[in-house]
Amino acid sequence: MVKIHLPYNIYFSIKMTDLKPISTLLLSCMITAVFTSSQAQQTPQPEDPALKIYREVPKKVNDLVHTKLNVRFDYKKRYMYGKEWVTLKPHFYPTDTLRLDAKGMDLKTIAVVKNGKNIPLKFTYQDSLTVAIKLDKVYHNNENYTIYIDYTAKPNELKVKGSAAINDAKGLYFINPDGTEKDKPTQIWTQGETESSSAWFPTIDKPSQKTSEEISMTVPAKYVTLSNGKLTLQKNNADGTRTDTWVQDLPHSPYLFMMAVGDFKIYKDKWRNKEVNYYLEPKYAPYAKEIFGMTPEAIEFYSKTLGVDFPWYKYAQIVVRDYVSGAMENTSATLHGAYVQATHRELLDAYYNNGRSTIVHELFHQWFGDYVTAESWSNLTVNESFANFSETIWAEHKYGKDVADEHNYIDMQNYLRSPNARTKNLVRFHYADKEDVFDVVTYQKGGRILNMLRNYLGNEAFYKGLGIYLKTNAFKNGEAQQLRLALEEASGLDLNWFFNQWYYAAGHPILDISYKWDDATKTQTVYLQQSQDGQIFKLPMAIDIYADGKKTRHKIWMNTQNDTLTFKLGGKPDLVNVDGDKILLTQKTDHKTLEEFAFQYFNAPLYLDRLEAINAAADKQSDNTAQKILIAALNDKYYGLRDKAIRTIKLSNDAIRAQAQPILAKLAQTDDNTLVQAQAITALGSLKASGNINLFKQALSSQSYAVQGAALNAIDLLDPALAMNLAKNYEADNKGGLTVALMDVYASNGSDAQWPFVYKQFDEAGPQGKFNVVRKFAVMAGRVEKPEYTQQGITQIKQLGITYKSIGAGDVAIKLITDIKEQRQKLKDDSSVKAADEAIKLITDAK
């Protein structure tokens, strides 16, 4: 499962956090749209009594061996009719009972297969969640037995709870099954994680189980199917259907089973001699290679890096509508949400965006999660922390170290700014609900921890250790202790200290760094202090001293709460750079002078070296040294820092404006990064200088939606009537930044005539798109004349609040609807006021 990212600019401008798939990451955008960043900081919640419950690894009475399914679908009823032959054996002790997870099903027949005959068995179906079966005899662990089950899955009638990670948990999804929703394809797809596969076939739905698989799907002949493994047979039936049989010979966990059915175009690629296929809606098929084309290169990179070749028969990726999370690493068949689909023009603004990082995140799961699977959700880190880590190493390989370091740093900030995250262990045997483990600790903190470990051990030892872990536990389960042992075997180093403080304890160091130079003794002193509650961390780190035109590295360990380091030097150094690799997971206060930060910007090599200097200069923009940093950063080698500098400079400062304006004009027209162009246009637009109007008009001809959107917003600041007139030209073709700009222009200046367009854009947007524009949407909903338009807006915001209430969206939605209500009261629109009150109550009452 994957986390979704906010755009770079949101991370740095609003100081909020992200989480994992459809989570506070999305919420942060929504919160920022409504509150100030200080208001948006959520207060830690009191501890749930359930956190005191120890979550043991589920005991194994029986082991899955093979699962064979024969299924067909009733689109009208939203049912799936299934026949299953599941082969099992006792794990160790003899048993005459079997318990299977089977959520919300009609169980018609349960029988044991003997000599080709089905012998009925007695069973008890408890709470429509698990079925207890009395076997025909006592079986021993050297005996396999096969159970036949005839059943009906009714996912839409199943009452289950989702989470911040996965907003629904009914396992099997019928999308537009009646074909009544215009411009939405008819699809069927599944989502198994965490334990929802048992909503569409009876199984032992635990990650510690492994089984081979055969699935035969009978579907309308016009549709394409996808499942795990190899398509071994296609049979056309007389009734206009076709039966496709997929076989997964290698064992994997039940939550990784998948099916997808629909009108997809298949782009066939390959890696070495293995199939690599991309399944997309027909209108996106021309862009398949642009969207997914780096997949073979990524498979090769990960295979070589890990020393373990991609282990499955094929690798397919499919994009579906209305997906309940970000993406899912089903074995050999990853399922993505629709946000990954994009046209050529959208991809011009993509760079290393959430879609591209998702693609490699899910791919890495084919090793960490599928090939070796977390033994229990308590050890989810050996799945998800690794997938998060993979995003950074791919960025480093493909896009360069600045991109990777930014990605890694943003993840750390998302963890540091998350309420309660500091109280949670990475390996977590106590939690209220298994879904709770899918959070910033498991993802962002875990990925940063692995990067620290890679830095400490060195690439060669680290990756050798990962190879040992994978090969030792292939097609089985793993946990963090096995990872530790593998890394110790590879490196020859004891790592208990590292795992004890980072995996089996909570929190992070809060590090204060200060300096003193004694000219008389030519001694540089560095004072390090950890001020966090709880454990004191052992921190190996590099300290780089820049003096006499060269850099000298000192490797030190901080082992106590307070540490004082002294260095005898020939003269006062230009810079002492603590954590020279910028790799520690820490909340840091560094008492460098602005002059030292300036030296750091121009001489220290890393992304974070330069970012720290830009941040130091941000609040001192009347200072010449700060101006020097910021003006230089406008031309930084890395587009992310150019973008950051543009957002940071205060053009109200005459000296900065005089220096920055010609640079911004150049960046707006010639920068090789469209996001920088767009941000430069936005900055120039804020000046409301009529002399820039031609530059903005020219930018409207860009192929980049981000550039066009920035230009339209800039024109709106100068001439709202012109912006309204121009906006009409882009209603037929807009995405991303241009869509947001149209919403902004119409929300500020439009009337009922523009509402249908605004509503359609909001209705069709994905979760992240909705959160990006929800404030403007709410403003317009409150201002339109027709009550029915206002009530359409209230309904959309209400649904957003209910769907994502678990991550705090309910409070934000209530605030927006309350604002709408106040506007409608002034207009004496009683029906909308009533609708607002009802919506607020529904959000409040939602579980």
Side-chain angles (χ1 to χ4, degrees):
M1 191 66 63
V2 70
K3 72 180 189 298
I4 296 179
H5 302 278
L6 284 176
Y8 168 91
N9 59 317
I10 294 178
Y11 281 116
F12 283 90
S13 63
I14 67 176
K15 305 295 185 188
M16 273 298 293
T17 72
D18 77 339
L19 211 82
K20 69 153 293 200
I22 318 300
S23 98
T24 48
L25 196 159
L26 297 175
L27 175 63
S28 66
C29 193
M30 188 177 187
I31 288 176
T32 307
V34 183
F35 303 107
T36 65
S37 60
S38 62
Q39 289 173 309
Q41 297 296 331
Q42 302 169 53
T43 56
Q45 299 300 308
E47 184 176 76
D48 189 323
L51 296 178
K52 299 184 184 299
I53 301 173
Y54 174 71
R55 305 294 178 175
E56 66 179 7
V57 175
K59 66 180 179 180
K60 291 184 176 181
V61 177
N62 290 281
D63 290 340
L64 297 172
V65 176
H66 181 69
T67 303
K68 179 180 178 181
L69 301 171
N70 192 325
V71 303
R72 57 189 177 88
F73 305 97
D74 187 327
Y75 285 80
K76 184 175 181 180
K77 292 182 178 180
R78 284 68 159 164
Y79 288 178
M80 187 192 83
Y81 304 112
K83 298 181 186 299
E84 177 177 14
W85 296 261
V86 56
T87 301
L88 309 99
K89 67 175 183 177
H91 180 76
F92 185 81
Y93 299 105
T95 184
D96 61 355
T97 62
L98 169 66
R99 183 177 294 274
L100 296 176
D101 299 296
K103 298 183 176 75
M105 298 177 181
D106 286 345
L107 300 176
K108 300 174 183 177
T109 302
I110 298 180
V112 64
V113 180
K114 293 282 189 177
N115 301 316
K117 294 183 178 180
N118 295 331
I119 300 174
L121 298 174
K122 294 181 179 179
F123 64 90
T124 303
Y125 195 19
Q126 299 170 331
D127 301 323
S128 293
L129 295 175
T130 64
V131 56
I133 304 168
K134 178 68 173 176
L135 300 176
D136 61 312
K137 72 182 192 83
V138 174
Y139 287 89
H140 296 77
N141 67 355
N142 60 352
E143 296 177 278
N144 288 0
Y145 61 92
T146 297
I147 300 297
Y148 167 76
I149 305 173
D150 186 355
Y151 67 97
T152 300
K154 302 178 176 181
N156 285 19
E157 298 174 19
L158 181 61
K159 304 300 181 185
V160 286
K161 181 172 74 77
S163 69
I166 308 159
N167 65 41
D168 203 313
K170 61 186 180 184
L172 175 65
Y173 297 81
F174 290 82
I175 307 303
N176 194 19
D178 303 317
T180 55
E181 296 180 68
K182 186 180 178 182
D183 300 325
K184 179 179 284 189
T186 297
Q187 298 175 347
I188 293 172
W189 47 263
T190 61
Q191 167 58 37
E193 195 172 35
T194 48
E195 295 174 8
S196 296
S197 286
S198 51
W200 60 278
F201 67 97
T203 188
I204 305 174
D205 206 353
K206 302 297 177 186
S208 55
Q209 291 285 337
K210 296 270 184 167
T211 171
S212 53
E213 161 199 346
E214 177 181 326
I215 297 181
S216 295
M217 285 178 267
T218 298
V219 302
K222 62 183 178 179
Y223 290 144
V224 168
T225 70
L226 176 65
S227 188
N228 316 96
K230 182 179 182 179
L231 180 60
T232 60
L233 181 67
Q234 290 190 298
K235 178 186 174 185
N236 289 314
N237 304 313
D239 60 357
T241 64
R242 189 187 69 251
T243 301
D244 291 355
T245 299
W246 294 82
V247 175
Q248 169 71 31
D249 290 325
L250 299 172
H252 64 147
S253 295
Y255 79 89
L256 297 167
F257 280 41
M258 74 85 67
M259 300 185 297
V261 182
D263 180 15
F264 300 99
K265 295 294 183 185
I266 306 172
Y267 183 98
K268 296 187 176 182
D269 210 339
K270 68 177 181 178
W271 171 74
R272 298 184 189 175
N273 62 342
K274 293 191 175 185
E275 294 180 14
V276 176
N277 299 326
Y278 318 131
Y279 292 65
L280 294 139
E281 291 178 32
K283 68 178 180 180
Y284 288 100
Y287 314 108
K289 191 71 172 177
E290 284 188 84
I291 298 166
F292 292 118
M294 80 284 206
T295 302
E297 180 187 351
I299 295 175
E300 183 70 13
F301 170 67
Y302 288 147
S303 294
K304 287 185 173 180
T305 298
L306 297 170
V308 177
D309 283 348
F310 178 79
W312 309 105
Y313 169 80
K314 63 104 172 28
Y315 189 57
Q317 295 176 88
I318 189 167
V319 184
V320 301
R321 291 290 190 98
D322 296 351
Y323 186 48
V324 293
S325 189
M328 181 63 208
E329 65 274 13
N330 308 299
T331 307
S332 79
T334 285
L335 191 148
H336 291 280
Y339 73 96
V340 172
Q341 288 186 139
T343 65
H344 171 72
R345 290 189 62 192
E346 290 175 270
L347 293 169
L348 289 174
D349 300 325
Y351 303 99
Y352 192 46
N353 70 343
N354 54 322
R356 286 175 173 157
S357 63
T358 294
I359 289 168
V360 295
H361 177 116
E362 302 307 324
L363 172 59
F364 206 69
H365 269 309
Q366 300 300 312
W367 288 268
F368 289 89
D370 298 5
Y371 187 57
V372 181
T373 307
E375 184 181 36
S376 70
W377 303 118
S378 295
N379 269 278
L380 184 64
T381 178
V382 298
N383 291 8
E384 295 298 351
S385 299
F386 272 107
N388 182 277
F389 164 80
S390 76
E391 299 171 24
T392 294
I393 63 172
W394 172 253
E396 194 174 285
H397 166 79
K398 183 70 174 177
Y399 302 101
K401 188 162 176 56
D402 279 344
V403 178
D405 286 353
E406 176 188 71
H407 196 81
N408 193 7
Y409 174 73
I410 289 171
D411 275 353
M412 181 177 73
Q413 293 305 306
N414 293 331
Y415 157 73
L416 290 174
R417 294 172 182 147
S418 296
N420 295 327
R422 62 182 175 81
T423 67
K424 299 174 182 176
N425 294 2
L426 184 56
V427 175
R428 216 170 310 163
F429 290 105
H430 298 83
Y431 51 78
D433 188 284
K434 61 187 181 301
E435 308 293 340
D436 299 341
V437 186
F438 292 77
D439 62 7
V440 289
V441 176
T442 296
Y443 283 74
Q444 285 91 331
K445 183 183 183 183
R448 180 77 176 191
I449 287 168
L450 287 169
N451 271 292
M452 281 196 299
L453 190 51
R454 175 173 65 130
N455 179 267
Y456 173 67
L457 294 176
N459 277 353
E460 186 174 353
F462 179 76
Y463 289 123
K464 181 180 179 181
L466 298 195
I468 291 170
Y469 170 81
L470 289 170
K471 292 169 187 175
T472 302
N473 302 292
F475 304 112
K476 296 186 292 186
N477 295 95
E479 60 177 39
Q481 294 289 18
Q482 290 161 300
L483 174 63
R484 176 182 62 80
L485 292 171
L487 291 165
E488 289 182 341
E489 180 181 340
S491 67
L493 300 176
D494 173 70
L495 293 173
N496 277 292
W497 67 270
F498 186 94
F499 278 75
N500 286 344
Q501 72 180 18
W502 289 114
Y503 278 76
Y504 298 102
H508 55 270
I510 299 175
L511 187 61
D512 186 271
I513 307 166
S514 58
Y515 311 87
K516 184 180 77 171
W517 169 252
D518 188 326
D519 196 54
T521 61
K522 299 293 188 283
T523 302
Q524 176 67 56
T525 303
V526 179
Y527 302 99
L528 304 177
Q529 181 182 35
Q530 296 185 44
S531 60
Q532 70 278 358
D533 296 331
Q535 67 168 319
I536 300 302
F537 288 79
K538 295 179 65 172
L539 301 175
M541 69 181 84
I543 296 181
D544 293 336
I545 298 179
Y546 292 77
D548 300 323
K550 65 178 183 179
K551 179 181 80 173
T552 303
R553 170 157 288 195
H554 302 267
K555 292 189 175 182
I556 66 100
W557 285 73
M558 184 182 186
N559 294 312
T560 58
Q561 184 172 5
N562 297 285
D563 219 338
T564 301
L565 309 171
T566 58
F567 304 92
K568 292 288 186 178
L569 303 172
K572 189 178 190 307
D574 298 299
L575 174 68
V576 178
N577 202 10
V578 176
D579 186 22
D581 289 328
K582 296 292 181 281
I583 196 68
L584 293 180
L585 195 169
T586 180
Q587 183 178 328
K588 180 175 71 173
T589 302
D590 195 338
H591 298 280
K592 292 188 180 84
T593 66
L594 190 57
E595 288 71 23
E596 288 168 332
F597 275 119
F599 185 92
Q600 179 172 305
Y601 179 85
F602 290 104
N603 294 276
L606 300 178
Y607 161 83
L608 195 51
D609 290 318
R610 283 134 52 215
L611 176 65
E612 287 177 350
I614 293 169
N615 287 336
D619 296 327
K620 301 177 180 179
Q621 296 195 28
S622 59
D623 186 286
N624 289 338
T625 301
Q627 292 174 16
K628 181 181 176 182
I629 294 169
L630 294 173
I631 297 302
L634 292 174
N635 288 308
D636 194 276
K637 66 178 182 176
Y638 175 47
Y639 71 83
L641 289 179
R642 296 198 297 277
D643 185 289
K644 167 68 174 176
I646 297 169
R647 295 173 184 279
T648 300
I649 58 172
K650 296 178 179 177
L651 293 176
S652 57
N653 181 297
D654 292 342
I656 288 180
R657 185 173 65 254
Q659 297 176 76
Q661 198 163 350
I663 300 173
L664 292 171
K666 183 179 179 181
L667 294 174
Q669 297 173 85
T670 65
D671 197 274
D672 60 4
N673 183 279
T674 59
L675 303 181
V676 173
Q677 287 183 38
Q679 193 54 44
I681 291 168
T682 298
L684 291 171
S686 70
L687 296 174
K688 300 183 181 179
S690 59
N692 289 322
I693 191 72
N694 287 334
L695 185 155
F696 301 151
K697 288 179 178 179
Q698 290 170 7
L700 287 173
S701 65
S702 173
Q703 285 294 294
S704 160
Y705 289 124
V707 171
Q708 285 185 308
L712 185 61
N713 275 327
I715 292 169
D716 186 39
L717 291 172
L718 283 169
D719 189 340
L722 176 60
M724 279 290 293
N725 189 50
L726 289 169
K728 299 173 187 176
N729 300 326
Y730 303 102
E731 289 188 6
D733 181 11
N734 62 88
K735 297 286 184 181
L738 182 55
T739 302
V740 174
L742 289 171
M743 299 276 280
D744 285 348
V745 169
Y746 287 160
S748 300
N749 312 306
S751 63
D752 285 37
Q754 285 75 43
W755 175 259
F757 170 81
V758 171
Y759 179 80
K760 181 174 184 291
Q761 295 299 314
F762 193 89
D763 183 53
E764 294 179 354
Q768 188 148 349
K770 284 182 167 67
F771 285 132
N772 286 343
V773 299
V774 67
R775 184 182 67 85
K776 291 286 188 180
F777 180 74
V779 168
M780 190 172 185
R783 200 186 67 246
V784 291
E785 291 184 12
K786 292 185 178 180
E788 57 264 39
Y789 287 172
T790 296
Q791 290 159 36
Q792 286 178 347
I794 290 170
T795 299
Q796 286 280 352
I797 297 168
K798 174 196 70 180
Q799 192 57 46
L800 206 60
I802 291 173
T803 302
Y804 302 107
K805 185 175 179 179
S806 64
I807 56 171
D811 291 341
V812 179
I814 288 171
K815 172 70 169 62
L816 291 171
I817 294 171
T818 300
D819 290 345
I820 294 172
K821 174 184 172 180
E822 291 173 357
Q823 288 178 277
R824 304 314 289 186
Q825 284 174 329
K826 294 175 183 177
L827 297 173
K828 302 189 183 304
D829 175 9
D830 294 340
S831 63
S832 295
V833 170
K834 181 181 178 182
D837 286 335
E838 290 173 351
I840 290 169
K841 185 177 188 305
L842 286 171
I843 297 170
T844 302
D845 294 344
K847 301 300 183 183

